[in-house]
Amino acid sequence: MAVSASGAARAPARATLAGLAARVWTPRVVVPLVFALSAAWFAWQASHVSSYIWLIDEMLYVKQAHGYSELAGLMPHVHGEPYGVPNVLYPLLMAPLYALLSSPDAFEAAHILNGLLWTSALFPVYLLVRRLGASWQWALLAGILTIWVPWSVATLVVMTEAATYAVFPWAILAITIAVAEPRPRNHVLAVAAILLAVAARTQMVFLFGVLVLAAIAFEVSVPDGVRLRERLRRRWSLIAILGGGALLLGAVAVLGGKPLGGYELTASLERFPGGLWGSAVQHAAHVFVGLAVIPPIMFFAWLYSVAAEPRGPLERSFALVAAITLVLIFYQAAFFAQLIAAGMQERYVSYAVPILVVGAVLLAADRLRGTPRLSLLASGLLVAGVIAGAPFDAGEAAGAFDRVANGGAALGEVFMKDIPELTRSIPGRDLRTNEGL
């Protein structure tokens, strides 16, 4: 059978295009490209901000950056005087900008930096999903879903949220590996990652509790016949590091120091104030809605499936780390909302996003097991119950300050307008926002 010259020419052309696509569609090309495009968008949006939104708080971090640019000391300084909140990472990152640029240019550059920092959360999430066995395409999807969320409005303010959002997934990755693979190097890296997160925002001190509780739960939940003495032996480096750190903090406190800085007052407040549970449910509901409801349902279904079926040590470790972290995140946000912030503050719980996204993606990527229908149903009822328990009031995002602090609530305003229209065909009465959701 004869082949025309034009047909022969088209075949090599198609083969060349297919080969080019195969060379381009690789993680080494696609992942950096997605990061670059996303970072460019967030940085461009943030660079348009021309004034402070949270004037006093933002100005304090700018003054701290000036202090570091003038080599005023290791701890934050404002006008030469020590400032009590030891969130040192963000002003340290801004210090070169204020040392080299004029104040207006440094202000714009700081917002561009926010976009880069926020987008960089893609990388630890990508690495975590890859370590947990999913393909690079699923891992990239998890990274994209982590950064393209309503709480990216944090890039619009000169505050610690963007830097903390960038380092938090690194801490979760390091803790997960340290719990599953107990060895000195992993323990050191986990503690170092937690210290970096605490340097970004003192709130992250709860991650030490996550590390300890997850390690204990992991050892207790693995019936491998290893005696307690042997279990403690393989955790000796973690015990030594945390024990030494506790002694050091105790010595600082005895000498009159304040390891928590301006947050020291929280140590003397009531641990379970009135309204704590309702506030935690409200924060969780806004995170679920801000993530479009489906990923949280998939996360809890994945969590149920891990508890019900044997899994590898790394996946069991992440399940424990994820569950403990979520409980502590929502507790901490509710605690602050009831006793300090005087209202909902989603910026304290936006760090739940990468955890929920990773679990959801792991469920979707698992082709070895059937669809967990009962787990999905139970998870849907759980998420629906949480959403039903939240008010979704219009005043939750009334001004610019509240819109940045509560990105999910700002998105909720859209639902408040659309829910009556979407539920008009349901007989009886118009549904409120939480009922419609």
Side-chain angles (χ1 to χ4, degrees), residues 3 14 21 34 106-107 122 145-146 161 169 171 176 180 200 277-278 304 339 361 374 388 393 415 417 425:
V3 179
R14 286 195 295 269
V34 170
F107 179 83
L122 180 151
L145 293 177
T146 295
E161 274 69 26
T176 300
W277 170 247
Y304 295 151
L339 297 178
V361 167
L374 292 178
D393 293 328
F415 293 117
K417 298 174 183 177
S425 60

Side-chain angles (χ1 to χ4, degrees), residues 252-275:
V252 171
V254 168
L255 294 174
K258 295 182 178 181
L260 296 178
Y263 293 108
E264 198 74 24
L265 63 92
T266 60
S268 60
L269 297 177
E270 183 183 357
R271 296 272 75 84
F272 298 97

